[in-house]
């Protein structure tokens, strides 16, 4: 496990120019494994560790148990801990967003508040596979079935090439205690159903399905990166004065044009664009409706 994590860190240069790392520590097996591994690697890579625990106040006494467990773990190992307690349910209603989205927002704001160079979270290869299956069922595009990014800005995921089985084996071999979120035991949640009912069936078809998914991710990520590069080149090629050439855009492949539209919208709207909006805009582009001040020119400000 240690060697595998080191290989991942080096492959993606996760700790380059890094003197401090904040670890998202929920108390579950994955985060406890990450905590222990980074403790053992901090001298070799030359960084200090801090930990962040977010109590979402969604599970009553169980959430308080998790917080106490993390506090004791950090105290035992001499690691500075920042505990953030937030009524996520109430905040989600106030912000008019879903509880899951709100919880994620609160967590990453808490991570950022540490001021550390990097933020380590415990997503694993198993999490990637579950997400891929979930997104496939929802009819995702190519980008939705790639793996969770190993590194994104300050966020690093050192366990991204490790499976849940490897993580739990590491915890058992190193006598690491961890807490269990009882909500993960109920398969009435979509992700839990995928984890507990669907993923285990993969082993019946291929005992090495995790390795197969790694090869799959390497393949689709190359394709996705190529298409995104084509969209960037289209952006530069299609520029006309202060807008874009409709003729050049419509002559491009549909897969590239879709990514160009998403790039333009995400850049200006600062949020992800729904597929239905992209379909509508592509149709309007083909019919030159509400896109241009001239017949040959599309202006980004009129796309928004």
């Amino acid at each position: 496990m240690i060697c595998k994590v080191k290989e991942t860190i080096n492959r993606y240069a996760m700790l380059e120019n890094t003197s401090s790392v904040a670890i998202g520590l929920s108390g579950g097996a994955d985060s406890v494994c990450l905590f222990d591994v980074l403790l053992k690697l901090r001298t070799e890579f030359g960084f200090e560790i801090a930990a962040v625990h977010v109590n979402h106040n969604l599970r009553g006494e169980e959430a308080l148990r998790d917080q106490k467990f993390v506090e004791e773990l950090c105290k035992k190992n001499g690691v500075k801990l920042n505990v953030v307690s937030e009524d996520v349910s109430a905040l989600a209603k106030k912000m008019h967003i879903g509880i899951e989205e709100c919880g994620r927002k609160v967590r990453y704001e808490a991570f950022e508040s540490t001021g550390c160079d990097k933020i380590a979270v415990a997503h694993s290869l198993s999490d990637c596979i579950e997400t891929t299956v979930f997104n496939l069922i929802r009819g995702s595009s190519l980008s939705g079935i790639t793996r969770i990014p190993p590194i994104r800005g300050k966020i690093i995921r050192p366990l991204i090439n490790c499976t849940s089985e490897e993580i739990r084996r590491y915890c058992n071999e190193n006598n690491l205690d961890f807490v269990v979120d009882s909500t993960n035991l109920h398969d009435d949640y979509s992700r839990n159903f995928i984890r507990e009912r669907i993923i285990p069936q993969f082993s019946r078809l291929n005992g090495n399905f995790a390795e197969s998914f790694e090869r799959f991710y390497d393949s689709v990520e190359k394709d996705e990166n190529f298409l995104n590069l084509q969209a960037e080149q289209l952006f530069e090629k299609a520029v006309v004065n202060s807008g874009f050439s409709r003729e050049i855009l419509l002559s491009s492949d549909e897969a590239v044009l879709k990514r160009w539209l998403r790039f333009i919208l995400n850049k200006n709207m600062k949020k992800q664009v729904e597929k239905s909006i992209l379909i509508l805009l592509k149709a309007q582009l083909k019919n030159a409706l509400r896109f241009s001040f001239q017949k040959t020119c599309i202006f980004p400000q009129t796309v928004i």
Side-chain angles (χ1 to χ4, degrees):
M1 169 70 81
I2 297 289
C3 291
K4 197 168 191 177
V5 172
K6 284 176 63 176
E7 181 182 350
T8 299
I9 289 172
N10 290 325
R11 177 182 178 184
Y12 297 104
M14 290 182 173
L15 296 175
E16 188 173 313
N17 300 318
T18 299
S19 61
S20 58
V21 177
I23 302 174
L25 189 57
S26 68
D30 293 1
S31 69
V32 168
C33 173
L34 176 64
F35 181 77
D36 189 76
V37 169
L38 291 185
L39 277 176
K40 292 174 178 175
L41 293 177
R42 60 179 170 175
T43 300
E44 179 178 347
F45 283 93
F47 60 85
E48 296 296 324
I49 288 178
V52 180
H53 177 78
V54 179
N55 184 344
H56 299 84
N57 290 286
L58 295 173
R59 295 180 290 116
E61 290 298 320
E62 187 175 279
L64 292 174
R65 175 210 64 184
D66 294 354
Q67 179 179 324
K68 183 178 180 181
F69 171 83
V70 168
E71 289 171 342
E72 293 176 351
L73 178 63
C74 289
K75 182 178 180 180
K76 175 183 176 182
N77 289 278
V79 172
K80 180 182 177 182
L81 172 66
N82 180 29
V83 174
V84 175
S85 182
E86 182 70 66
D87 187 340
V88 170
S89 180
L91 183 62
K93 291 179 180 178
K94 182 179 179 180
M95 298 179 67
H96 304 290
I97 59 176
I99 289 179
E100 185 175 353
E101 180 183 354
C102 184
R104 186 183 305 110
K105 184 177 186 298
V106 169
R107 285 195 301 277
Y108 282 95
E109 285 180 354
F111 298 156
E112 289 285 353
S113 70
T114 63
C116 290
D117 297 327
K118 297 290 173 64
I119 300 161
V121 293
H123 290 122
S124 67
L125 177 58
S126 296
D127 292 320
C128 293
I129 295 172
E130 292 166 14
T131 300
T132 294
V133 173
F134 182 73
N135 287 341
L136 275 172
I137 293 170
R138 297 169 63 193
S140 173
S141 63
L142 187 62
S143 63
I145 59 174
T146 57
R147 87 181 90 205
I148 300 169
I151 182 169
R152 176 180 286 167
K154 293 175 63 174
I155 306 296
I156 60 173
R157 298 180 169 93
L159 301 183
I160 203 66
N161 292 320
C162 303
T163 65
S164 293
E165 290 73 21
E166 290 173 319
I167 289 169
R168 276 152 184 76
R169 190 184 311 125
Y170 178 88
C171 289
N172 290 333
E173 291 173 351
N174 290 274
N175 299 312
L176 300 177
D177 293 326
F178 54 85
V179 295
V180 177
D181 183 341
S182 63
T183 62
N184 290 333
L185 304 177
H186 304 300
D187 62 16
D188 50 344
Y189 294 99
S190 297
R191 284 186 177 274
N192 291 354
F193 184 84
I194 290 171
R195 181 185 306 120
E196 300 298 329
R197 299 295 187 90
I198 296 179
I199 300 296
Q201 300 305 314
F202 290 176
S203 294
R204 299 180 61 180
L205 300 173
N206 181 0
N208 296 317
F209 73 89
E211 288 82 357
S212 297
F213 266 93
E214 285 193 275
R215 294 194 298 274
F216 166 76
Y217 288 135
D218 287 340
S219 177
V220 297
E221 284 165 7
K222 286 183 176 68
D223 294 344
E224 178 68 1
N225 290 338
F226 174 76
L227 289 168
N228 286 335
L229 178 60
Q230 294 297 303
E232 290 177 15
Q233 293 175 349
L234 176 62
F235 180 87
E236 297 175 359
K237 182 180 178 182
V239 170
V240 176
N241 298 323
S242 59
F244 299 93
S245 166
R246 177 174 176 271
E247 181 180 358
I248 292 176
L249 292 175
L250 290 179
S251 67
S252 66
D253 185 88
E254 185 172 349
V256 177
L257 178 60
K258 179 181 70 175
R259 284 165 174 78
W260 178 86
L261 279 168
R262 182 181 287 118
F263 174 77
I264 290 291
L265 293 171
N266 287 345
K267 181 179 179 181
N268 289 280
M269 297 175 68
K270 308 300 182 184
K271 64 179 181 179
Q272 293 297 310
V273 180
E274 295 181 5
K275 183 178 180 181
S276 59
I277 300 298
L278 290 175
I279 293 173
L280 175 62
L281 288 176
K282 281 193 293 183
Q284 290 181 330
L285 175 59
K286 290 178 180 179
N287 294 308
L289 296 177
R290 300 183 63 183
F291 272 83
S292 63
F293 296 132
Q294 304 173 23
K295 289 184 178 180
T296 60
C297 198
I298 298 169
F299 292 84
Q301 59 264 38
T302 64
V303 175
I304 301 168

